Amino acid sequence: MSEPTQKYSISMPRDLAEAARARGGPSGLSAYVAAAVARQMERDDLNELIAVAEAEHGPVTDEEVQARREQLRQAREAQSGTAPGRSSAA
């Protein structure tokens, strides 16, 4: 069962609202906006977690970020069976 809903009045630029309405499709503008707000709240929570971790352990360096991105890339390739530098379309 889904959460009960409440009607709210918000203001936003017309062009943004119309673009969101068009992308909302059959689910509608309200569902599209609710999903966007939920994603933003997840990002806000993640930013808070990062701030706490950096306060405790220090900031993450660009080199550390790049090393983790490379690990993720390699893991994705291994998972998909794609060798580095080769596309899976071969």
Side-chain angles (χ1 to χ4, degrees):
M1 180 182 267
S2 66
E3 295 269 337
T5 60
Q6 175 86 23
K7 191 169 189 150
Y8 295 93
S9 175
I10 62 168
S11 298
M12 61 190 321
R14 179 173 291 159
D15 60 338
L16 185 60
E18 292 305 319
R21 182 184 310 278
R23 289 182 183 216
S27 298
L29 177 62
S30 292
Y32 191 85
V33 171
V37 170
R39 278 191 307 276
Q40 183 62 48
M41 292 175 72
E42 288 172 352
R43 288 180 177 187
D44 292 345
D45 289 345
L46 182 56
N47 285 334
E48 289 174 15
L49 180 62
I50 290 169
V52 168
E54 286 185 338
E56 186 173 333
H57 303 287
V60 179
T61 66
D62 288 340
E63 292 80 18
E64 290 170 317
V65 170
Q66 290 305 319
R68 296 304 178 262
R69 284 183 176 158
E70 179 61 19
Q71 285 178 332
L72 286 171
R73 185 190 64 75
Q74 290 175 3
R76 286 184 187 119
E77 287 176 350
Q79 193 173 40
S80 69
T82 303
R86 290 181 38 197
S87 72
S88 58

